[in-house]
Amino acid sequence: MSVDNKERSRTPKKPNPLLLIAGLFFLGIALALLLFGGRLFGENSSADETADFEQIPPLSGVNREGVPLPNSGAPLNVGDMAYDFNLPNTEGNVVALSDFSGKPVIVNFWATWCPPCRHEMPEFQRVYEAHADDDLVILAVNEAEQTEAVTAFFYDEMDFSYTPLLDEEADVGAAYGAVGLPTTFFVDRSGEVTAVHRGGLTNAQIEGYLQEIIP
């Protein structure tokens, strides 16, 4: 090797300016995600403690049965205001979530063909009776079954006394994010979702969730 070649081999290489620019660019992105990531991706903020139940966001539009459809498609999470809805009961009378302003509400999505649903529903009846003085409301939203099937199971077979509703096109369940059955939402007196439970519930679990909506 010549002397000139040895000298060149000892000379440190200058950094590539394009690599420096790219590094600074990705560093800036990382810092932005770290500082503002929640805002960039629409992270839910906690609900206003003074929110009125009447301000719960309604589902928008209606399907061919007159049932309101989702306004955003975003499933509900803890801290969200529950979507209002209008659904018929087994007698054909329309019931809205906002009818129960100021009351604690359990919204349970279920079906007669769902074994975990059938197993947990007697526990809802026990809780409903135990908290009659607390104005507890339980709305059992059935997914896309015929009125006759719901009536036969709910009243004739089980003799429940809380309220079954018919989500005939499963639109309300989709709006709430009840992708599997059973799924249960606990809604406090202001209309805020305090808990979401996917799967069957025991009596102890229901009572535990009720601590958030019944003082």
Side-chain angles (χ1 to χ4, degrees):
M1 179 182 295
S2 67
V3 175
D4 289 342
N5 287 337
K6 289 181 180 180
E7 290 299 325
R8 280 195 295 268
S9 65
R10 295 192 189 102
T11 303
K13 295 181 179 179
K14 294 182 179 181
N16 190 324
L18 292 178
L19 291 177
L20 287 176
I21 293 171
L24 291 173
F25 174 75
F26 287 112
L27 179 60
I29 291 177
L31 289 173
L33 289 174
L34 180 63
L35 295 174
F36 307 109
R39 297 177 185 175
L40 289 174
F41 292 101
E43 183 178 295
N44 291 328
S45 59
S46 60
D48 186 352
E49 294 179 357
T50 62
D52 188 339
F53 195 99
E54 298 297 339
Q55 296 175 355
I56 60 179
L59 303 179
S60 62
V62 294
N63 67 6
R64 65 173 181 267
E65 303 295 335
V67 180
L69 299 175
N71 56 354
S72 66
L76 289 176
N77 292 305
V78 173
D80 293 336
M81 298 300 288
Y83 297 141
D84 197 7
F85 56 78
N86 299 287
L87 289 175
N89 61 20
T90 55
E91 297 177 350
N93 299 315
V94 175
V95 176
L97 177 61
S98 54
D99 291 341
F100 307 104
S101 174
K103 296 182 179 181
V105 182
I106 296 174
V107 182
N108 173 245
F109 292 90
W110 69 287
T112 61
W113 47 260
C114 165
C117 302
R118 298 172 71 99
H119 182 75
E120 72 176 357
M121 292 181 82
E123 302 302 334
F124 285 123
Q125 179 65 33
R126 295 186 183 95
V127 167
Y128 182 66
E129 294 172 356
H131 291 279
D133 293 338
D134 297 313
D135 293 326
L136 177 65
V137 175
I138 301 179
L139 302 178
V141 181
N142 177 266
E143 182 180 279
E145 293 188 278
Q146 296 296 317
T147 304
E148 294 76 12
V150 176
T151 300
F153 170 78
F154 205 87
Y155 294 120
D156 300 337
E157 181 180 342
M158 303 304 297
D159 195 28
F160 293 146
S161 58
Y162 56 100
T163 306
L165 299 177
L166 305 175
D167 190 6
E168 296 169 345
E169 301 293 327
D171 293 311
V172 174
Y176 268 61
V179 294
L181 299 180
T183 298
T184 306
F185 295 80
F186 292 79
V187 182
D188 69 13
R189 297 176 190 272
S190 71
E192 180 182 327
V193 176
T194 61
V196 180
H197 187 96
R198 304 184 190 281
L201 282 160
T202 65
N203 186 276
Q205 288 174 316
I206 298 171
E207 290 288 356
Y209 288 129
L210 286 178
Q211 296 298 315
E212 297 294 324
I213 64 176
I214 298 177

